[in-house]
């Protein structure tokens, strides 16, 4: 297989894995109004149906590490594709299943398991197989696909719902919204049988000839031999035995840095803006409910455009410069929103603030965190370390999504001097912590092989 076709297959896998992440996370938002009416859900039960997938995401991320070590990145992704397919079919509750909320929640949790496994294995697989000079861009495809997944599912659910009456949407429209995910999930499953296994995982399992063959397809014979030698040296130096002491000070420090960075991605407030975007536009910015479609398209479009910017600059400018630039932009965006809220002068400046924040996140913490998590951990601990970091990210996602509406509705936030701005000042505080963590603990990994990056931690 030609090198270009080989890398295209890698990109396709990363794209579909990320797209399904975004699609499965977003499909519930389009379907929730109609299934709420169908099941006559209380607010508490509605929150459980919508948020239940996060439980699966957390568990999926935890099991993804050991699973990835035992059966490999590729087979782990195949399992995630099966989870996605089962969830897409079952969440629509075909007649052969009980028509109950409990059954719907079961399939939403299964979908979450798929997201959890894929969110760890897909970027790691790409990082372990992509050439070092384009690895950043290749891993960024994953974040780009997540954003596209959110955008595509929004358009798909709108198209399905817009062609049916309200009664039809309540009866079966929401089912079709879930079933629409079958198309990308089945395609993902099929493509995974075509792509090769990770050369780093093959070397970890002592399958050096297979690992070298994959590397030769990517880099050619000369570079492949050098890279194979570096991989073996890395594995031999890490530990002469089979077991790794994850509780040693050095390894715990590396895992802690990656986990903190992963958690901080969520503490920027991105999912508060994405999950509750309509509420922010309506309550804070004075938009009407009839403008929800325009608002979501605007957010998704800005998110998409600036993820492209990151994709084409992450290997040129480096990881740390993008984190610095994005952090400054996120602070500026939230300051514009917060100050206008405090002054009770909400308008165009407030909207610009939200869009500046989205754009800044999309070119920095969104894609760059996935790039760093996929490449910063040493070969022997990469699976387990990334599993911990991604599981912590999902836990942080849950904390933010549950606490944001509480803080927003609190008396402290709604009264002087905050006037609705308190959550955004809290997020600004965490963004400033990102700048400190990046400066103090994050190495620049642009253009370095995974084995060279491993050497940073030995200095």
């Amino acid at each position: 297989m030609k090198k270009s076709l080989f890398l295209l297959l890698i990109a396709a896998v990363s794209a579909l894995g990320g797209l399904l992440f975004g699609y499965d996370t977003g499909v519930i938002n389009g379907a929730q109004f109609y299934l709420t009416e169908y099941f006559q859900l209380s607010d508490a039960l509605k929150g459980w149906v919508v948020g239940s997938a996060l439980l699966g995401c957390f568990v999926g991320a935890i099991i993804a590490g050991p699973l990835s070590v035992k059966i490999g990145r590729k087979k782990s992704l195949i399992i995630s594709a099966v989870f996605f397919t089962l969830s897409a079919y079952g969440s629509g509750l075909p007649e052969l299943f009980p028509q109950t909320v409990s059954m719907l929640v079961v399939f939403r949790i299964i979908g979450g398991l798929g997201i959890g496994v894929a969110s760890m294995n897909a970027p790691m697989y790409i990082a372990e197989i992509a050439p070092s000079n384009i690895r950043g861009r290749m891993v960024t495809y994953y974040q780009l696909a997540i954003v596209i997944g959110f955008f595509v599912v929004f358009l798909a659910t709108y198209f399905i719902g817009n062609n049916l009456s309200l009664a039809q949407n309540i009866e079966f429209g929401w089912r079709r919204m879930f079933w629409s995910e079958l198309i990308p999930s089945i395609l993902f499953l099929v493509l995974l049988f075509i792509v090769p296994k990770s050369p780093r995982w093959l070397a970890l399992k002592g399958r050096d000839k297979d690992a070298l063959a994959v590397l030769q397809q990517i880099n050619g014979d000369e570079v492949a031999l050098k890279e194979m030698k570096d991989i073996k040296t890395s594995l031999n130096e890490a530990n002469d035995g089979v077991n790794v002491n994850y509780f040693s000070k050095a390894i715990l420090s590396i895992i802690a840095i990656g986990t903190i960075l992963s958690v901080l991605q969520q503490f920027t407030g991105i999912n508060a803006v994405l999950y509750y975007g309509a509420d922010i536009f309506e309550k804070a910015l004075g938009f009407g409910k009839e403008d929800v479609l325009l608002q979501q398209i605007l957010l998704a479009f800005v998110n998409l455009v600036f993820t492209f910017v990151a994709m084409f600059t992450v290997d040129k400018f480096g990881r740390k410069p993008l984190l610095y630039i994005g952090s400054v932009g996120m602070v500026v965006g939230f300051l514009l929103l917060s100050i206008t809220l405090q002054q009770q002068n909400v308008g165009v400046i407030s909207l610009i603030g939200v869009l500046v924040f989205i754009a800044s996140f999309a070119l920095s913490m969104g894609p760059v965190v996935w790039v760093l998590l996929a490449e910063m951990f040493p070969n022997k601990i990469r699976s387990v370390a990334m599993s911990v970091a991604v599981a912590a990210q999902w836990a942080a996602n849950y904390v933010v999504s549950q606490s944001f509406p509480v803080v927003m509705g609190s008396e402290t936030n709604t009264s002087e001097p905050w006037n609705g701005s308190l959550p955004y000042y809290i997020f600004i505080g965490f963004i400033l912590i990102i700048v400190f963590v990046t400066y103090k603990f994050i190495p620049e990994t642009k253009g370095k092989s995974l084995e060279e990056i491993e050497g940073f931690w030995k200095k």
Side-chain angles (χ1 to χ4, degrees):
M1 184 182 294
K2 292 183 178 179
K3 178 181 174 182
S4 58
L5 181 58
F6 185 83
L7 292 175
L8 181 62
L9 280 172
I10 298 170
V13 169
S14 66
L16 283 171
L19 187 140
L20 281 162
F21 178 163
Y23 203 106
D24 197 87
T25 304
V27 69
I28 191 69
N29 293 326
Q32 64 172 318
F33 174 78
Y34 305 114
L35 65 87
T36 296
E37 293 295 316
Y38 181 84
F39 288 109
Q40 292 295 297
L41 300 177
S42 64
D43 287 343
L45 205 53
K46 176 184 174 183
W48 171 232
V49 170
V50 173
S52 57
L54 287 176
L55 175 62
C57 293
F58 179 72
V59 174
I62 290 175
I63 66 172
L67 194 68
S68 180
V69 172
K70 188 171 182 62
I71 67 173
R73 291 47 160 154
K74 175 179 173 176
K75 288 183 179 178
S76 296
L77 286 172
I78 289 172
I79 290 174
S80 75
V82 172
F83 282 146
F84 281 127
T85 304
L86 288 174
S87 175
Y89 179 67
S91 295
L93 295 182
E95 291 182 2
L96 61 98
F97 294 130
Q99 303 296 296
T100 64
V101 175
S102 296
M103 185 57 63
L104 174 59
V105 166
V106 166
F107 283 107
R108 293 305 303 145
I109 291 175
I110 290 173
L113 289 170
I115 295 173
V117 173
S119 63
M120 195 216 82
N121 277 282
M124 182 169 64
Y125 171 79
I126 303 160
E128 290 188 339
I129 211 165
S132 59
N133 63 315
I134 61 168
R135 186 177 59 247
R137 190 175 78 214
M138 293 289 287
V139 178
T140 304
Y141 281 135
Y142 177 74
Q143 175 66 20
L144 175 65
I146 294 174
V147 174
I148 292 174
F150 271 115
F151 190 64
V152 168
V153 72
F154 172 70
L155 293 178
T157 53
Y158 175 75
F159 178 78
I160 292 169
N162 198 47
N163 286 283
L164 298 172
S165 67
L166 178 61
Q168 288 174 321
N169 274 314
I170 293 172
E171 181 59 31
F172 59 82
W174 60 272
R175 302 176 193 270
R176 293 181 179 178
M177 294 175 187
F178 284 119
W179 289 336
S180 67
E181 190 182 343
L182 283 168
I183 298 171
S185 63
I186 291 173
L187 185 59
F188 183 45
L189 181 60
V190 171
L191 279 177
L192 281 167
F193 286 97
I194 302 174
V195 299
K197 295 175 180 176
S198 161
R200 265 81 182 178
W201 179 80
L202 289 168
L204 192 64
K205 294 298 181 180
R207 297 169 58 180
D208 294 358
K209 288 184 179 179
D210 293 334
L212 181 60
V214 175
L215 290 171
Q216 286 171 329
Q217 284 183 283
I218 304 168
N219 301 301
D221 292 347
E222 185 177 344
V223 175
L225 287 169
K226 180 183 180 301
E227 195 158 346
M228 188 67 203
K229 182 181 177 182
D230 290 342
I231 292 171
K232 293 303 295 180
T233 300
S234 163
L235 293 175
N236 291 332
E237 286 181 355
N239 195 343
D240 291 333
V242 177
N243 297 318
V244 177
N245 181 13
Y246 289 98
F247 296 100
S248 68
K249 184 178 179 180
I251 290 180
L252 273 179
S253 298
I254 299 169
I255 295 175
I257 292 169
T259 301
I260 290 169
L261 184 67
S262 187
V263 167
L264 286 171
Q265 186 198 59
Q266 296 301 308
F267 284 175
T268 59
I270 181 61
N271 280 321
V273 174
L274 294 179
Y275 291 167
Y276 300 100
D279 288 342
I280 291 172
F281 276 113
E282 182 185 349
K283 294 176 182 176
L285 305 184
F287 281 55
K289 290 182 181 296
E290 67 277 4
D291 298 317
V292 169
L293 175 62
L294 177 61
Q295 299 155 20
Q296 298 300 327
I297 287 178
L298 193 57
L299 288 180
F301 178 73
V302 172
N303 202 359
L304 185 61
V305 168
F306 280 86
T307 303
F308 271 111
V309 174
M311 187 172 70
F312 290 107
T313 56
V314 68
D315 284 319
K316 182 178 181 180
F317 295 160
R319 285 55 159 156
K320 294 180 74 166
L322 287 186
L323 289 178
Y324 290 138
I325 293 168
S327 294
V328 171
M330 286 187 286
V331 169
V332 170
F334 271 157
L335 279 176
L336 289 175
L337 175 60
S338 299
I339 292 170
T340 55
L341 284 169
Q342 285 184 289
Q343 295 178 344
Q344 297 184 316
N345 188 26
V346 173
V348 175
I349 299 299
S350 313
L351 175 60
I352 291 172
V354 173
L355 297 180
V356 167
F357 168 79
I358 290 287
S360 300
F361 177 88
L363 66 81
S364 61
M365 285 298 285
V368 175
V369 166
W370 289 114
V371 173
L372 285 169
L373 289 179
E375 64 187 8
M376 69 181 289
F377 300 119
N379 283 319
K380 275 211 167 184
I381 68 165
R382 185 171 296 119
S383 294
V384 174
M386 195 166 175
S387 178
V388 172
V390 173
Q393 185 181 125
W394 283 112
N397 184 329
Y398 180 80
V399 169
V400 172
S401 64
Q402 294 299 305
S403 62
F404 179 75
V406 175
V407 176
M408 278 290 285
S410 68
E411 186 177 344
T412 301
N413 181 53
T414 54
S415 57
E416 296 283 353
W418 303 109
N419 294 328
S421 64
L422 178 58
Y424 308 109
Y425 279 113
I426 294 173
F427 292 140
I428 286 171
F430 283 112
I431 295 167
L432 293 176
I433 294 173
I434 290 171
V435 175
F436 171 76
V437 170
T438 301
Y439 172 76
K440 189 75 175 175
F441 301 108
I442 304 300
E444 180 54 68
T445 57
K446 180 187 73 170
K448 305 294 184 182
S449 72
L450 296 181
E451 289 64 44
E452 287 175 313
I453 294 169
E454 186 173 332
F456 289 144
W457 305 110
K458 299 174 183 177
K459 294 177 181 179

PDB file of all heavy atoms in Angstrom, residues 78 84 220 286 311 322:
ATOM      1  N   ILE A  78     -12.236  -1.216  17.491  1.00  0.00           N
ATOM      2  CA  ILE A  78     -13.291  -2.070  16.932  1.00  0.00           C
ATOM      3  C   ILE A  78     -14.393  -2.286  17.973  1.00  0.00           C
ATOM      4  O   ILE A  78     -15.589  -2.225  17.659  1.00  0.00           O
ATOM      5  CB  ILE A  78     -12.713  -3.418  16.457  1.00  0.00           C
ATOM      6  CG1 ILE A  78     -11.858  -3.211  15.196  1.00  0.00           C
ATOM      7  CG2 ILE A  78     -13.825  -4.430  16.184  1.00  0.00           C
ATOM      8  CD1 ILE A  78     -11.089  -4.437  14.746  1.00  0.00           C
ATOM      9  N   PHE A  84     -20.826   1.857  19.612  1.00  0.00           N
ATOM     10  CA  PHE A  84     -21.521   2.940  18.913  1.00  0.00           C
ATOM     11  C   PHE A  84     -22.710   2.399  18.114  1.00  0.00           C
ATOM     12  O   PHE A  84     -23.802   2.987  18.114  1.00  0.00           O
ATOM     13  CB  PHE A  84     -20.565   3.667  17.954  1.00  0.00           C
ATOM     14  CG  PHE A  84     -19.644   4.655  18.607  1.00  0.00           C
ATOM     15  CD1 PHE A  84     -18.269   4.584  18.409  1.00  0.00           C
ATOM     16  CD2 PHE A  84     -20.139   5.654  19.418  1.00  0.00           C
ATOM     17  CE1 PHE A  84     -17.414   5.502  19.003  1.00  0.00           C
ATOM     18  CE2 PHE A  84     -19.284   6.580  20.022  1.00  0.00           C
ATOM     19  CZ  PHE A  84     -17.923   6.503  19.805  1.00  0.00           C
ATOM     20  N   GLY A 220       9.380   4.581   4.947  1.00  0.00           N
ATOM     21  CA  GLY A 220      10.443   4.038   4.112  1.00  0.00           C
ATOM     22  C   GLY A 220      11.441   3.275   4.957  1.00  0.00           C
ATOM     23  O   GLY A 220      11.454   3.387   6.190  1.00  0.00           O
ATOM     24  N   GLY A 286     -30.143  37.969  25.461  1.00  0.00           N
ATOM     25  CA  GLY A 286     -31.447  38.470  25.053  1.00  0.00           C
ATOM     26  C   GLY A 286     -31.973  37.919  23.753  1.00  0.00           C
ATOM     27  O   GLY A 286     -32.910  38.472  23.168  1.00  0.00           O
ATOM     28  N   MET A 311      -5.239  22.970  13.070  1.00  0.00           N
ATOM     29  CA  MET A 311      -4.749  21.820  12.330  1.00  0.00           C
ATOM     30  C   MET A 311      -3.559  22.189  11.443  1.00  0.00           C
ATOM     31  O   MET A 311      -2.602  21.418  11.311  1.00  0.00           O
ATOM     32  CB  MET A 311      -5.885  21.237  11.485  1.00  0.00           C
ATOM     33  CG  MET A 311      -5.549  19.923  10.796  1.00  0.00           C
ATOM     34  SD  MET A 311      -7.002  19.199  10.010  1.00  0.00           S
ATOM     35  CE  MET A 311      -7.266  20.329   8.653  1.00  0.00           C
ATOM     36  N   LEU A 322       0.438  27.824  20.724  1.00  0.00           N
ATOM     37  CA  LEU A 322      -1.009  27.806  20.518  1.00  0.00           C
ATOM     38  C   LEU A 322      -1.760  27.844  21.845  1.00  0.00           C
ATOM     39  O   LEU A 322      -2.807  28.498  21.961  1.00  0.00           O
ATOM     40  CB  LEU A 322      -1.421  26.561  19.725  1.00  0.00           C
ATOM     41  CG  LEU A 322      -1.088  26.542  18.235  1.00  0.00           C
ATOM     42  CD1 LEU A 322      -1.701  25.302  17.567  1.00  0.00           C
ATOM     43  CD2 LEU A 322      -1.599  27.796  17.527  1.00  0.00           C
TER      44      LEU A 322
END
